[in-house]
């Protein structure tokens, strides 16, 4: 069972920003930038291109809605999107509010307190449509 499945089942806590029957979005615990969010299919699949085309399109539709909420919440030049999965073998889309290329490089990390994560997740969630 992946660590993200444990988040989905509630075994491990997360700062949730959006959820429906098929997907969940929560803040990355070690963010590149403020608002760095992961969008995850509840069905545990390792690689994104092993999803069916329909599942892939649904994941992109859900990610689009999360990105819109991020744009409304976090001041940034744009939302960057990346799919890697080398650390956690459970499909996830990184949505990252970016101001510079360095924000997409997974090297510079930013720290937030529990209270800051809670408040940010609540704000993004409030802008999710
Ligand atoms: P990737 O698999 O795409 O290389 O990276 C996995 C991402 O998941 C990383 O950005 C890492 O910070 C994040 N991550 C790993 N474990 C957890 C966790 O338990 N909770 C949350 N919210 N994010 C995690």
């Amino acid at each position: 069972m992946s660590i993200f499945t444990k988040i989905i089942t509630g075994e491990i806590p997360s700062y949730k920003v959006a959820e429906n029957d098929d997907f969940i979005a929560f803040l990355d615990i070690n963010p590149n930038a403020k608002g760095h969010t992961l969008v995850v299919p509840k069905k545990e699949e390792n690689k994104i291109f092993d999803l069916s085309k329909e599942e892939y399109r649904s994941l992109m539709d859900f990610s689009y809605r999360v990105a819109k909420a991020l744009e409304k919440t976090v001041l940034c030049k744009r939302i960057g999107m990346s799919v890697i999965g080398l650390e956690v073998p459970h499909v996830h889309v990184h949505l990252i509010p970016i101001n510079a290329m360095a924000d997409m490089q997974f090297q510079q990390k930013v720290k937030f307190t529990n209270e800051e994560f809670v408040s940010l997740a609540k704000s993004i969630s409030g802008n999710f449509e």
Side-chain angles (χ1 to χ4, degrees):
M1 188 193 286
S2 79
I3 194 143
F4 292 164
T5 294
K6 288 183 179 170
I7 286 175
I8 290 158
T9 60
E11 211 176 307
I12 289 178
S14 71
Y15 302 104
K16 191 166 74 180
V17 307
E19 184 173 19
N20 70 7
D21 285 348
D22 298 321
F23 303 102
I24 187 170
F26 49 83
L27 296 177
D28 193 299
I29 205 67
N30 189 22
N32 291 13
K34 182 178 177 182
H36 182 167
T37 297
L38 304 175
V39 184
V40 184
K42 290 187 175 176
K43 181 185 150 208
E44 187 175 328
E45 184 72 67
N46 181 353
K47 301 178 191 171
I48 190 163
F49 298 118
D50 284 342
L51 295 175
S52 68
K53 280 186 189 169
E54 193 186 338
E55 289 165 339
Y56 174 83
R57 287 188 193 114
S58 301
L59 172 64
M60 288 301 132
D61 281 350
F62 197 80
S63 300
Y64 179 99
R65 292 166 62 200
V66 174
K68 290 287 179 189
L70 285 173
E71 279 180 340
K72 283 186 189 158
T73 315
V74 183
L75 198 63
C76 61
K77 285 192 176 160
R78 60 183 60 221
I79 306 298
M81 185 168 80
S82 174
V83 176
I84 306 170
L86 288 171
E87 183 187 331
V88 180
H90 182 154
V91 174
H92 52 283
V93 175
H94 292 263
L95 295 175
I96 309 171
I98 58 173
N99 292 295
M101 185 58 100
D103 296 327
M104 289 304 293
Q105 286 168 355
F106 297 85
Q107 280 156 2
Q108 293 174 17
K109 297 293 182 172
V110 283
K111 296 278 176 207
F112 296 100
T113 63
N114 177 59
E115 290 70 27
E116 287 168 332
F117 273 125
V118 168
S119 152
L120 181 58
K122 198 174 163 200
S123 302
I124 299 165
S125 175
N127 284 323
F128 181 75
E129 290 173 2

